[in-house]
Amino acid sequence: AVRQCAGQLVYTNRAVDAGMATVDDRRKLVVEYEKFCADPGQVYRQLLDCLELASRDHPYSGPLRFDSSNAAVGAREAEIAAALDELAG
């Protein structure tokens, strides 16, 4: 199951990277999962900036933060890393 999930991650990331390579940098917004979880309102404001929309007209009303599910990886981190290394190589 870990190897299958790692494969999905590797091949999805490759497809996303290939697609994003064709998009002009001025039209991209890269969002790190951990930063989004820590402060979704800030990411929302960045998105508004990219779309040239005023935050006063589009106030953020979502949660202040989300719990990151990356912490759940913990005990299986070595197994996951090995599967990713094997598939990415």
Side-chain angles (χ1 to χ4, degrees):
V2 168
R3 191 172 192 285
Q4 180 181 356
C5 289
Q8 291 172 349
L9 178 66
V10 167
Y11 292 107
T12 298
N13 280 347
R14 286 181 185 167
V16 168
D17 289 345
M20 291 299 284
T22 66
V23 177
D24 187 284
D25 284 343
R26 293 171 295 172
R27 298 188 66 216
K28 296 179 191 178
L29 174 62
V30 176
V31 177
E32 293 178 28
Y33 173 73
E34 290 79 8
K35 288 184 180 179
F36 174 73
C37 288
D39 191 354
Q42 176 61 30
V43 174
Y44 179 81
R45 288 185 292 280
Q46 288 176 319
L47 180 59
L48 290 179
D49 287 346
C50 288
L51 297 172
E52 298 179 356
L53 297 172
S55 59
R56 70 177 178 281
D57 297 330
H58 305 278
Y60 178 71
S61 59
L64 296 178
R65 64 178 311 279
F66 296 98
D67 291 334
S68 170
S69 62
N70 282 347
V73 171
R76 301 190 79 178
E77 188 170 356
E79 182 183 3
I80 294 166
L84 288 171
D85 286 345
E86 178 185 341
L87 291 164

